[in-house]
């Protein structure tokens, strides 16, 4: 399965609760935090919710 690196590049201070929950589910708390995860439908939905706060790179 393909892996992707998700990096939090903007703050969660003004984010809505659903956006904060999506970031927390991916293990992102502070700017610069990253996580390497499997690229699947669940991740695509989470990234869609916070696409303006994260950067996604193929690993």
């Amino acid at each position: 399965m393909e892996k992707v690196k998700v990096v939090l590049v903007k703050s969660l201070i003004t984010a809505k609760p659903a956006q904060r929950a999506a970031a927390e589910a991916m293990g992102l708390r502070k700017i610069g935090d990253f996580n390497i995860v499997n690229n699947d439908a669940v991740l695509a939905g989470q990234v869609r919710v916070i696409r303006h706060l994260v950067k996604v790179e193929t690993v």
Side-chain angles (χ1 to χ4, degrees):
M1 177 157 288
E2 183 178 310
K3 300 265 188 181
V4 293
K5 179 178 179 180
V6 182
V7 182
L8 188 65
V9 294
K10 290 192 177 180
S11 176
L12 294 171
I13 289 174
T14 60
K16 295 179 181 177
Q19 294 169 345
R20 288 178 190 238
E24 181 69 27
M26 285 190 274
L28 308 174
R29 293 173 183 237
K30 299 187 295 185
I31 296 174
D33 281 355
F34 69 92
N35 198 2
I36 298 174
V37 293
N38 290 329
N39 190 11
D40 57 3
V42 174
L43 176 75
Q46 291 174 338
V47 168
R48 186 169 174 248
V49 171
I50 59 172
R51 63 183 172 263
H52 60 289
L53 302 174
V54 297
K55 179 174 67 170
V56 180
E57 305 169 356
T58 305
V59 175

Short mmCIF file of all heavy atoms in Angstrom, two decimals:
data_model
loop_
_atom_site.label_atom_id
_atom_site.label_comp_id
_atom_site.label_asym_id
_atom_site.label_seq_id
_atom_site.Cartn_x
_atom_site.Cartn_y
_atom_site.Cartn_z
N MET A 1 0.84 -1.17 0.00
CA MET A 1 0.00 0.00 0.00
C MET A 1 0.89 1.24 0.00
O MET A 1 1.92 1.29 0.65
CB MET A 1 -0.91 -0.01 1.22
CG MET A 1 -1.78 1.21 1.33
SD MET A 1 -3.28 1.01 2.29
CE MET A 1 -4.26 0.02 1.22
N GLU A 2 0.47 2.24 -0.72
CA GLU A 2 1.23 3.48 -0.82
C GLU A 2 1.17 4.26 0.48
O GLU A 2 0.14 4.35 1.13
CB GLU A 2 0.64 4.34 -1.95
CG GLU A 2 1.39 5.61 -2.21
CD GLU A 2 0.80 6.39 -3.36
OE1 GLU A 2 0.58 5.80 -4.42
OE2 GLU A 2 0.56 7.58 -3.17
N LYS A 3 2.28 4.85 0.86
CA LYS A 3 2.36 5.66 2.08
C LYS A 3 2.47 7.13 1.69
O LYS A 3 3.07 7.47 0.67
CB LYS A 3 3.59 5.27 2.89
CG LYS A 3 3.60 3.83 3.33
CD LYS A 3 3.04 3.73 4.69
CE LYS A 3 3.24 2.31 5.21
NZ LYS A 3 2.70 2.15 6.52
N VAL A 4 1.90 8.00 2.52
CA VAL A 4 2.02 9.43 2.32
C VAL A 4 2.43 10.08 3.64
O VAL A 4 2.13 9.58 4.72
CB VAL A 4 0.71 10.08 1.80
CG1 VAL A 4 0.40 9.61 0.40
CG2 VAL A 4 -0.44 9.80 2.71
N LYS A 5 3.11 11.21 3.52
CA LYS A 5 3.53 11.99 4.68
C LYS A 5 2.61 13.20 4.77
O LYS A 5 2.50 13.98 3.83
CB LYS A 5 4.98 12.44 4.50
CG LYS A 5 5.52 13.26 5.64
CD LYS A 5 6.98 13.61 5.37
CE LYS A 5 7.56 14.46 6.46
NZ LYS A 5 8.97 14.79 6.19
N VAL A 6 1.93 13.36 5.90
CA VAL A 6 1.02 14.47 6.13
C VAL A 6 1.67 15.40 7.14
O VAL A 6 2.02 14.98 8.24
CB VAL A 6 -0.35 13.97 6.65
CG1 VAL A 6 -1.30 15.13 6.83
CG2 VAL A 6 -0.94 12.94 5.72
N VAL A 7 1.85 16.68 6.76
CA VAL A 7 2.54 17.66 7.60
C VAL A 7 1.57 18.79 7.92
O VAL A 7 0.96 19.35 7.02
CB VAL A 7 3.78 18.23 6.89
CG1 VAL A 7 4.51 19.21 7.80
CG2 VAL A 7 4.70 17.14 6.42
N LEU A 8 1.44 19.14 9.20
CA LEU A 8 0.63 20.28 9.60
C LEU A 8 1.43 21.56 9.37
O LEU A 8 2.49 21.73 9.96
CB LEU A 8 0.23 20.16 11.08
CG LEU A 8 -0.77 21.18 11.59
CD1 LEU A 8 -2.11 21.01 10.88
CD2 LEU A 8 -0.96 21.05 13.08
N VAL A 9 0.93 22.45 8.50
CA VAL A 9 1.68 23.66 8.15
C VAL A 9 1.02 24.93 8.66
O VAL A 9 1.64 25.99 8.64
CB VAL A 9 1.90 23.76 6.62
CG1 VAL A 9 2.81 22.66 6.14
CG2 VAL A 9 0.60 23.76 5.88
N LYS A 10 -0.23 24.85 9.10
CA LYS A 10 -0.91 26.02 9.67
C LYS A 10 -1.49 25.64 11.03
O LYS A 10 -1.75 24.48 11.32
CB LYS A 10 -2.02 26.50 8.74
CG LYS A 10 -1.50 27.13 7.47
CD LYS A 10 -2.60 27.84 6.73
CE LYS A 10 -2.06 28.52 5.50
NZ LYS A 10 -3.10 29.22 4.78
N SER A 11 -1.74 26.66 11.84
CA SER A 11 -2.20 26.47 13.20
C SER A 11 -3.65 25.97 13.26
O SER A 11 -4.47 26.28 12.41
CB SER A 11 -2.09 27.78 13.96
OG SER A 11 -2.61 27.65 15.26
N LEU A 12 -3.95 25.25 14.33
CA LEU A 12 -5.31 24.78 14.59
C LEU A 12 -6.10 25.71 15.52
O LEU A 12 -7.22 25.40 15.90
CB LEU A 12 -5.25 23.39 15.24
CG LEU A 12 -4.70 22.27 14.37
CD1 LEU A 12 -4.49 21.02 15.20
CD2 LEU A 12 -5.62 21.99 13.21
N ILE A 13 -5.53 26.87 15.85
CA ILE A 13 -6.17 27.78 16.81
C ILE A 13 -7.56 28.19 16.35
O ILE A 13 -8.51 28.15 17.12
CB ILE A 13 -5.28 29.02 17.07
CG1 ILE A 13 -4.05 28.61 17.86
CG2 ILE A 13 -6.06 30.10 17.81
CD1 ILE A 13 -3.05 29.72 18.07
N THR A 14 -7.72 28.59 15.10
CA THR A 14 -9.02 29.06 14.62
C THR A 14 -9.80 27.96 13.90
O THR A 14 -10.82 28.24 13.30
CB THR A 14 -8.85 30.26 13.68
OG1 THR A 14 -8.06 29.86 12.56
CG2 THR A 14 -8.18 31.41 14.39
N ALA A 15 -9.33 26.74 13.98
CA ALA A 15 -9.98 25.63 13.28
C ALA A 15 -11.28 25.23 13.99
O ALA A 15 -11.41 25.37 15.20
CB ALA A 15 -9.05 24.43 13.20
N LYS A 16 -12.21 24.73 13.20
CA LYS A 16 -13.48 24.24 13.75
C LYS A 16 -13.24 22.92 14.47
O LYS A 16 -12.24 22.24 14.22
CB LYS A 16 -14.48 24.06 12.61
CG LYS A 16 -14.84 25.37 11.95
CD LYS A 16 -15.80 25.15 10.81
CE LYS A 16 -16.13 26.48 10.14
NZ LYS A 16 -17.01 26.32 9.00
N PRO A 17 -14.16 22.52 15.34
CA PRO A 17 -13.98 21.27 16.09
C PRO A 17 -13.78 20.04 15.21
O PRO A 17 -12.97 19.16 15.54
CB PRO A 17 -15.26 21.16 16.91
CG PRO A 17 -15.71 22.57 17.09
CD PRO A 17 -15.32 23.28 15.82
N ALA A 18 -14.47 19.95 14.09
CA ALA A 18 -14.31 18.81 13.20
C ALA A 18 -12.91 18.79 12.58
O ALA A 18 -12.33 17.72 12.37
CB ALA A 18 -15.37 18.83 12.11
N GLN A 19 -12.37 19.97 12.30
CA GLN A 19 -11.03 20.06 11.74
C GLN A 19 -9.99 19.67 12.78
O GLN A 19 -9.03 18.96 12.48
CB GLN A 19 -10.77 21.47 11.22
CG GLN A 19 -11.66 21.84 10.06
CD GLN A 19 -11.60 23.32 9.71
OE1 GLN A 19 -11.12 24.13 10.49
NE2 GLN A 19 -12.11 23.66 8.55
N ARG A 20 -10.18 20.12 14.01
CA ARG A 20 -9.27 19.74 15.09
C ARG A 20 -9.29 18.23 15.32
O ARG A 20 -8.25 17.61 15.54
CB ARG A 20 -9.64 20.44 16.39
CG ARG A 20 -9.33 21.90 16.40
CD ARG A 20 -9.78 22.50 17.72
NE ARG A 20 -9.70 23.94 17.67
CZ ARG A 20 -8.97 24.67 18.51
NH1 ARG A 20 -8.32 24.08 19.47
NH2 ARG A 20 -8.95 25.97 18.39
N ALA A 21 -10.49 17.65 15.26
CA ALA A 21 -10.62 16.20 15.46
C ALA A 21 -9.92 15.43 14.35
O ALA A 21 -9.28 14.40 14.61
CB ALA A 21 -12.09 15.82 15.54
N ALA A 22 -10.04 15.89 13.12
CA ALA A 22 -9.37 15.22 12.00
C ALA A 22 -7.86 15.28 12.15
O ALA A 22 -7.16 14.29 11.92
CB ALA A 22 -9.80 15.84 10.67
N ALA A 23 -7.35 16.44 12.56
CA ALA A 23 -5.90 16.57 12.77
C ALA A 23 -5.44 15.68 13.91
O ALA A 23 -4.40 15.01 13.81
CB ALA A 23 -5.55 18.03 13.06
N GLU A 24 -6.19 15.65 14.98
CA GLU A 24 -5.84 14.81 16.13
C GLU A 24 -5.86 13.33 15.76
O GLU A 24 -5.00 12.56 16.19
CB GLU A 24 -6.82 15.07 17.28
CG GLU A 24 -6.56 14.28 18.52
CD GLU A 24 -5.29 14.68 19.24
OE1 GLU A 24 -4.88 15.85 19.12
OE2 GLU A 24 -4.72 13.82 19.93
N ALA A 25 -6.81 12.93 14.92
CA ALA A 25 -6.90 11.53 14.49
C ALA A 25 -5.69 11.13 13.66
O ALA A 25 -5.29 9.96 13.66
CB ALA A 25 -8.18 11.31 13.69
N MET A 26 -5.09 12.09 12.98
CA MET A 26 -3.89 11.82 12.19
C MET A 26 -2.62 12.01 13.02
O MET A 26 -1.52 11.82 12.51
CB MET A 26 -3.85 12.71 10.96
CG MET A 26 -4.81 12.29 9.89
SD MET A 26 -4.55 13.16 8.36
CE MET A 26 -5.53 14.61 8.66
N GLY A 27 -2.75 12.40 14.28
CA GLY A 27 -1.60 12.57 15.14
C GLY A 27 -0.90 13.91 14.97
O GLY A 27 0.28 14.03 15.28
N LEU A 28 -1.61 14.92 14.50
CA LEU A 28 -1.03 16.24 14.27
C LEU A 28 -1.53 17.20 15.33
O LEU A 28 -2.73 17.43 15.46
CB LEU A 28 -1.41 16.74 12.87
CG LEU A 28 -1.13 15.79 11.72
CD1 LEU A 28 -1.68 16.36 10.42
CD2 LEU A 28 0.36 15.53 11.60
N ARG A 29 -0.61 17.77 16.11
CA ARG A 29 -0.99 18.69 17.19
C ARG A 29 -0.40 20.07 17.02
O ARG A 29 -1.06 21.06 17.26
CB ARG A 29 -0.54 18.13 18.54
CG ARG A 29 -1.26 16.88 18.92
CD ARG A 29 -0.65 16.30 20.18
NE ARG A 29 -1.32 15.04 20.50
CZ ARG A 29 -1.92 14.82 21.65
NH1 ARG A 29 -1.93 15.74 22.58
NH2 ARG A 29 -2.50 13.66 21.87
N LYS A 30 0.87 20.14 16.63
CA LYS A 30 1.56 21.43 16.51
C LYS A 30 2.04 21.61 15.08
O LYS A 30 2.21 20.64 14.34
CB LYS A 30 2.77 21.48 17.44
CG LYS A 30 2.43 21.33 18.90
CD LYS A 30 3.63 21.55 19.80
CE LYS A 30 4.69 20.50 19.59
NZ LYS A 30 5.81 20.60 20.52
N ILE A 31 2.30 22.87 14.70
CA ILE A 31 2.84 23.16 13.38
C ILE A 31 4.17 22.42 13.24
O ILE A 31 5.00 22.45 14.13
CB ILE A 31 3.04 24.67 13.19
CG1 ILE A 31 1.69 25.38 13.22
CG2 ILE A 31 3.75 24.96 11.88
CD1 ILE A 31 1.79 26.89 13.19
N GLY A 32 4.34 21.76 12.11
CA GLY A 32 5.56 21.01 11.86
C GLY A 32 5.43 19.53 12.18
O GLY A 32 6.27 18.74 11.77
N ASP A 33 4.41 19.14 12.93
CA ASP A 33 4.19 17.72 13.20
C ASP A 33 3.86 17.01 11.90
O ASP A 33 3.19 17.56 11.03
CB ASP A 33 3.03 17.52 14.17
CG ASP A 33 3.40 17.77 15.62
OD1 ASP A 33 4.59 18.03 15.88
OD2 ASP A 33 2.49 17.73 16.46
N PHE A 34 4.35 15.79 11.77
CA PHE A 34 4.04 14.99 10.59
C PHE A 34 3.78 13.56 10.98
O PHE A 34 4.15 13.12 12.07
CB PHE A 34 5.16 15.09 9.54
CG PHE A 34 6.43 14.41 9.96
CD1 PHE A 34 6.66 13.08 9.62
CD2 PHE A 34 7.39 15.08 10.68
CE1 PHE A 34 7.83 12.45 10.00
CE2 PHE A 34 8.57 14.47 11.06
CZ PHE A 34 8.79 13.14 10.72
N ASN A 35 3.14 12.85 10.08
CA ASN A 35 2.86 11.44 10.29
C ASN A 35 2.88 10.76 8.93
O ASN A 35 2.40 11.31 7.94
CB ASN A 35 1.51 11.26 10.97
CG ASN A 35 1.36 9.90 11.60
OD1 ASN A 35 2.27 9.09 11.56
ND2 ASN A 35 0.20 9.64 12.17
N ILE A 36 3.42 9.56 8.88
CA ILE A 36 3.43 8.77 7.65
C ILE A 36 2.34 7.72 7.78
O ILE A 36 2.37 6.91 8.71
CB ILE A 36 4.81 8.14 7.42
CG1 ILE A 36 5.86 9.25 7.26
CG2 ILE A 36 4.78 7.23 6.20
CD1 ILE A 36 7.27 8.78 7.16
N VAL A 37 1.37 7.77 6.87
CA VAL A 37 0.19 6.91 6.96
C VAL A 37 -0.10 6.27 5.61
O VAL A 37 0.41 6.69 4.58
CB VAL A 37 -1.04 7.72 7.43
CG1 VAL A 37 -0.89 8.17 8.86
CG2 VAL A 37 -1.29 8.91 6.53
N ASN A 38 -0.92 5.21 5.64
CA ASN A 38 -1.34 4.56 4.41
C ASN A 38 -2.31 5.46 3.66
O ASN A 38 -3.16 6.11 4.25
CB ASN A 38 -2.04 3.23 4.71
CG ASN A 38 -1.08 2.20 5.22
OD1 ASN A 38 0.09 2.19 4.87
ND2 ASN A 38 -1.56 1.32 6.08
N ASN A 39 -2.19 5.48 2.35
CA ASN A 39 -3.06 6.29 1.51
C ASN A 39 -4.31 5.47 1.20
O ASN A 39 -4.29 4.58 0.36
CB ASN A 39 -2.33 6.69 0.22
CG ASN A 39 -3.11 7.71 -0.57
OD1 ASN A 39 -4.08 8.27 -0.08
ND2 ASN A 39 -2.67 7.94 -1.79
N ASP A 40 -5.41 5.78 1.89
CA ASP A 40 -6.66 5.06 1.67
C ASP A 40 -7.82 6.04 1.73
O ASP A 40 -7.63 7.25 1.85
CB ASP A 40 -6.82 3.92 2.68
CG ASP A 40 -6.78 4.40 4.13
OD1 ASP A 40 -6.66 5.61 4.35
OD2 ASP A 40 -6.85 3.54 5.02
N ALA A 41 -9.03 5.53 1.65
CA ALA A 41 -10.22 6.37 1.61
C ALA A 41 -10.43 7.14 2.91
O ALA A 41 -10.87 8.29 2.90
CB ALA A 41 -11.45 5.53 1.30
N VAL A 42 -10.10 6.54 4.03
CA VAL A 42 -10.25 7.22 5.32
C VAL A 42 -9.34 8.43 5.38
O VAL A 42 -9.76 9.53 5.77
CB VAL A 42 -9.94 6.25 6.49
CG1 VAL A 42 -9.95 6.99 7.81
CG2 VAL A 42 -10.92 5.10 6.50
N LEU A 43 -8.09 8.26 4.98
CA LEU A 43 -7.15 9.38 4.97
C LEU A 43 -7.62 10.47 4.02
O LEU A 43 -7.53 11.65 4.34
CB LEU A 43 -5.75 8.91 4.59
CG LEU A 43 -4.74 10.05 4.47
CD1 LEU A 43 -4.34 10.54 5.84
CD2 LEU A 43 -3.56 9.63 3.67
N ALA A 44 -8.11 10.08 2.86
CA ALA A 44 -8.58 11.07 1.89
C ALA A 44 -9.68 11.93 2.47
O ALA A 44 -9.71 13.15 2.26
CB ALA A 44 -9.05 10.37 0.62
N GLY A 45 -10.59 11.34 3.22
CA GLY A 45 -11.66 12.10 3.85
C GLY A 45 -11.14 13.03 4.92
O GLY A 45 -11.59 14.18 5.03
N GLN A 46 -10.19 12.58 5.72
CA GLN A 46 -9.62 13.41 6.78
C GLN A 46 -8.84 14.58 6.18
O GLN A 46 -8.94 15.71 6.66
CB GLN A 46 -8.73 12.59 7.69
CG GLN A 46 -9.48 11.60 8.55
CD GLN A 46 -8.55 10.69 9.33
OE1 GLN A 46 -7.40 10.50 8.97
NE2 GLN A 46 -9.07 10.13 10.40
N VAL A 47 -8.07 14.31 5.14
CA VAL A 47 -7.28 15.36 4.51
C VAL A 47 -8.21 16.38 3.84
O VAL A 47 -7.95 17.58 3.86
CB VAL A 47 -6.28 14.77 3.49
CG1 VAL A 47 -5.68 15.86 2.62
CG2 VAL A 47 -5.19 14.01 4.22
N ARG A 48 -9.32 15.92 3.30
CA ARG A 48 -10.27 16.83 2.65
C ARG A 48 -10.82 17.84 3.64
O ARG A 48 -11.02 19.00 3.30
CB ARG A 48 -11.40 16.03 2.02
CG ARG A 48 -12.35 16.86 1.23
CD ARG A 48 -13.30 15.97 0.42
NE ARG A 48 -14.28 16.80 -0.22
CZ ARG A 48 -15.58 16.81 0.09
NH1 ARG A 48 -16.03 15.98 1.01
NH2 ARG A 48 -16.41 17.60 -0.53
N VAL A 49 -11.02 17.42 4.88
CA VAL A 49 -11.55 18.31 5.92
C VAL A 49 -10.53 19.40 6.28
O VAL A 49 -10.91 20.54 6.54
CB VAL A 49 -11.94 17.50 7.17
CG1 VAL A 49 -12.29 18.40 8.33
CG2 VAL A 49 -13.10 16.58 6.86
N ILE A 50 -9.24 19.06 6.28
CA ILE A 50 -8.22 20.02 6.71
C ILE A 50 -7.20 20.30 5.61
O ILE A 50 -6.04 20.61 5.89
CB ILE A 50 -7.52 19.55 7.99
CG1 ILE A 50 -6.85 18.20 7.82
CG2 ILE A 50 -8.47 19.54 9.16
CD1 ILE A 50 -6.00 17.77 8.99
N ARG A 51 -7.62 20.24 4.37
CA ARG A 51 -6.69 20.40 3.25
C ARG A 51 -6.00 21.77 3.24
O ARG A 51 -4.91 21.91 2.70
CB ARG A 51 -7.38 20.15 1.92
CG ARG A 51 -8.49 21.10 1.59
CD ARG A 51 -9.19 20.73 0.28
NE ARG A 51 -10.36 21.53 0.07
CZ ARG A 51 -11.60 21.15 0.38
NH1 ARG A 51 -11.81 19.95 0.89
NH2 ARG A 51 -12.62 21.94 0.16
N HIS A 52 -6.61 22.79 3.85
CA HIS A 52 -6.00 24.11 3.91
C HIS A 52 -4.99 24.25 5.04
O HIS A 52 -4.30 25.26 5.14
CB HIS A 52 -7.10 25.17 4.06
CG HIS A 52 -7.92 25.02 5.28
ND1 HIS A 52 -8.84 24.00 5.44
CD2 HIS A 52 -7.97 25.73 6.43
CE1 HIS A 52 -9.42 24.10 6.61
NE2 HIS A 52 -8.92 25.14 7.24
N LEU A 53 -4.87 23.23 5.88
CA LEU A 53 -3.96 23.28 7.02
C LEU A 53 -2.77 22.33 6.88
O LEU A 53 -1.82 22.43 7.65
CB LEU A 53 -4.71 22.90 8.31
CG LEU A 53 -5.91 23.75 8.69
CD1 LEU A 53 -6.62 23.15 9.89
CD2 LEU A 53 -5.50 25.17 8.97
N VAL A 54 -2.83 21.40 5.92
CA VAL A 54 -1.78 20.38 5.81
C VAL A 54 -1.14 20.36 4.43
O VAL A 54 -1.68 20.92 3.46
CB VAL A 54 -2.34 18.97 6.12
CG1 VAL A 54 -2.84 18.87 7.53
CG2 VAL A 54 -3.41 18.58 5.14
N LYS A 55 0.01 19.71 4.38
CA LYS A 55 0.71 19.45 3.12
C LYS A 55 0.87 17.93 3.04
O LYS A 55 1.27 17.30 4.02
CB LYS A 55 2.05 20.15 3.10
CG LYS A 55 2.87 19.91 1.85
CD LYS A 55 4.12 20.76 1.82
CE LYS A 55 5.07 20.32 2.90
NZ LYS A 55 6.41 20.93 2.81
N VAL A 56 0.56 17.34 1.89
CA VAL A 56 0.64 15.90 1.71
C VAL A 56 1.72 15.59 0.68
O VAL A 56 1.70 16.14 -0.42
CB VAL A 56 -0.73 15.32 1.27
CG1 VAL A 56 -0.63 13.82 1.07
CG2 VAL A 56 -1.80 15.67 2.25
N GLU A 57 2.65 14.69 1.03
CA GLU A 57 3.73 14.29 0.15
C GLU A 57 3.74 12.77 0.02
O GLU A 57 3.51 12.07 1.00
CB GLU A 57 5.08 14.73 0.72
CG GLU A 57 5.20 16.19 1.02
CD GLU A 57 6.45 16.52 1.82
OE1 GLU A 57 7.19 15.59 2.20
OE2 GLU A 57 6.67 17.71 2.07
N THR A 58 4.05 12.29 -1.16
CA THR A 58 4.19 10.84 -1.36
C THR A 58 5.54 10.39 -0.81
O THR A 58 6.54 11.05 -1.02
CB THR A 58 4.10 10.49 -2.85
OG1 THR A 58 2.89 11.02 -3.36
CG2 THR A 58 4.13 8.99 -3.07
N VAL A 59 5.54 9.25 -0.12
CA VAL A 59 6.79 8.72 0.45
C VAL A 59 7.24 7.54 -0.37
O VAL A 59 6.48 6.75 -0.84
CB VAL A 59 6.58 8.28 1.92
CG1 VAL A 59 7.83 7.63 2.47
CG2 VAL A 59 6.19 9.49 2.75
#
